[in-house]
Amino acid sequence: MAKIAFIGLGNMGGPMAANLVKAGHQVAGFDLVPALREQAAAQGVAVASSLVSAVQGCEAVVTMLPAGGHVVSVWREFLPKADKGALLIDCSTIDVASSHQVHQMAHDAGFRSVDAPVSGGTGGATNATLTFMCGGDPEALAAATPILQSMGKKIVACGKAGAGQAAKICNNMILGATMVATAEAFVLGEKLGLSHQALFDVASTSSGQSWSMTSYCPVPGPVPASPANHDYKPGFATALMLKDLKLSQQAALSVGASTPMGALAMQIYSLFMAEGHAGEDFSAVIAMLRGKAGA
Ligand code: NAD
């Protein structure tokens, strides 16, 4: 079992660090927020008083931070103090350019690194059922695998440095676009007098099928576990969906890819968020498409 530093003990990082402890690792944790440090301590994380003291003496450092800027500044701060040979794993969802930058910083300082953003949300973080999408050298990924296995169920090697982030934003661009398309179809069906169940029974087994339909259906009824049955409590918050769609469009612009559906989904979620729905599940966008979202 390894001695691991975990930086960023928020909604995702808190339970992920707790799962490393449950798996028998020795975990040193740090977050800027005192209340989160206390919560992590209650889960068996050895809370450190600073970033640098958390990483010292560790064989691996995991970061789970809000955005690229945070990851770059945290890695820049701890890299000179980390133990030589430590393996660096960033599980945050960040822009591909920042991911390349931190891989390069790690490489220049003589460290192995992996980008390993996740899918599965807070439920997956709590139940250790996350999927990790990984980018980095095969040797670094092999070293990261036992650590990731303590926090998740599926580990996908996506390619070289930054490929995990690329896979994550491409996946979530599909998700945002298919959710809008699925919600639109239910709204059209309503106006045509079609029941939700009838449309679901057809589309869930026909060519309109997608995860947005079968696992995350945006209307209550057909899929009992979907947020639609729980007042659109996330789930996956609209603010996070918009963040990922923005990352996809930023990446598309940087490589000259044409992604009009992703761009439109981003605009629709920007509007929905501006109307005050940042904290609702992203499937709640159906209310705006009906013209009934309110602020
Ligand atoms: P969060 O805001 O709850 O947690 C991030 C934590 O990082 C915060 O507690 C914050 O205090 C801490 N932090 C920021 N700067 C720091 C610093 N310099 N040093 C130490 N700690 C610092 O966010 P989250 O929901 O846990 O998400 C984390 C990452 O995972 C994000 O990149 C997000 O996009 C991604 N993600 C989230 C979900 C989800 O459902 N919440 C799902 C998949 C991926």
Side-chain angles (χ1 to χ4, degrees):
M1 290 298 145
K3 186 158 186 233
I4 302 168
F6 203 108
I7 313 302
L9 302 165
N11 293 321
M12 297 292 289
M16 289 166 74
N19 283 328
L20 288 175
V21 172
K22 278 186 207 148
H25 298 290
Q26 213 181 319
V27 182
F30 181 68
D31 195 289
L32 296 175
V33 178
L36 295 174
R37 297 202 294 266
E38 281 164 31
Q39 268 178 36
Q43 300 291 320
V45 173
V47 169
S49 56
S50 70
L51 168 61
V52 165
S53 61
V55 304
Q56 280 171 336
C58 287
E59 294 147 64
V61 181
V62 181
T63 46
M64 193 52 166
L65 297 164
H70 303 90
V71 178
V72 171
S73 81
V74 163
W75 281 42
R76 187 171 282 139
E77 186 181 339
F78 78 68
L79 271 174
K81 307 288 180 188
D83 284 24
K84 289 298 162 208
L87 171 68
L88 314 182
I89 306 171
D90 180 41
C91 292
S92 328
T93 302
I94 66 172
D95 58 288
V96 176
S98 295
S99 184
H100 285 149
Q101 186 181 347
V102 294
H103 273 289
Q104 191 62 49
M105 281 159 49
H107 181 263
D108 292 347
F111 292 93
R112 297 163 300 163
S113 55
V114 173
D115 54 291
V118 304
S119 108
T122 49
T126 304
N127 299 320
T129 54
L130 293 169
T131 293
F132 290 93
M133 296 154 253
C134 302
D137 292 340
E139 188 263 329
L141 181 53
T145 297
I147 295 172
L148 300 179
Q149 277 169 337
S150 303
M151 301 184 285
K153 231 160 78 174
K154 193 167 167 193
I155 298 162
V156 185
C158 297
K160 56 188 179 9
Q165 296 294 349
K168 163 89 188 179
I169 57 171
C170 287
N171 179 73
N172 281 18
M173 187 176 78
I174 296 171
L175 178 61
T178 57
M179 180 54 78
V180 171
T182 303
E184 272 182 6
F186 275 107
V187 173
L188 175 60
E190 287 166 6
K191 291 192 189 294
L192 295 173
L194 188 62
S195 75
H196 291 160
Q197 192 62 48
L199 177 55
F200 177 83
D201 289 345
V202 172
S204 65
T205 54
S206 306
S207 42
Q209 187 265 345
S210 74
W211 190 88
S212 294
M213 174 65 77
T214 56
S215 296
Y216 224 71
C217 189
V219 293
V223 178
S226 80
N229 297 285
H230 306 101
D231 283 331
Y232 297 97
K233 194 169 161 279
F236 191 49
T238 292
L240 289 170
M241 172 48 80
L242 181 58
K243 172 192 166 182
D244 292 357
L245 286 168
K246 283 182 175 170
L247 290 176
S248 74
Q249 295 316 291
Q250 194 182 333
L253 196 61
S254 75
V255 293
S258 170
T259 55
M261 297 298 291
L264 189 55
M266 183 185 78
Q267 285 173 19
I268 290 169
Y269 278 105
S270 296
L271 200 57
F272 190 50
M273 184 143 141
E275 287 184 351
H277 303 282
E280 284 171 34
D281 188 77
F282 78 112
S283 60
V285 74
I286 191 167
M288 188 176 82
L289 298 171
R290 281 193 192 105
K292 291 182 185 157

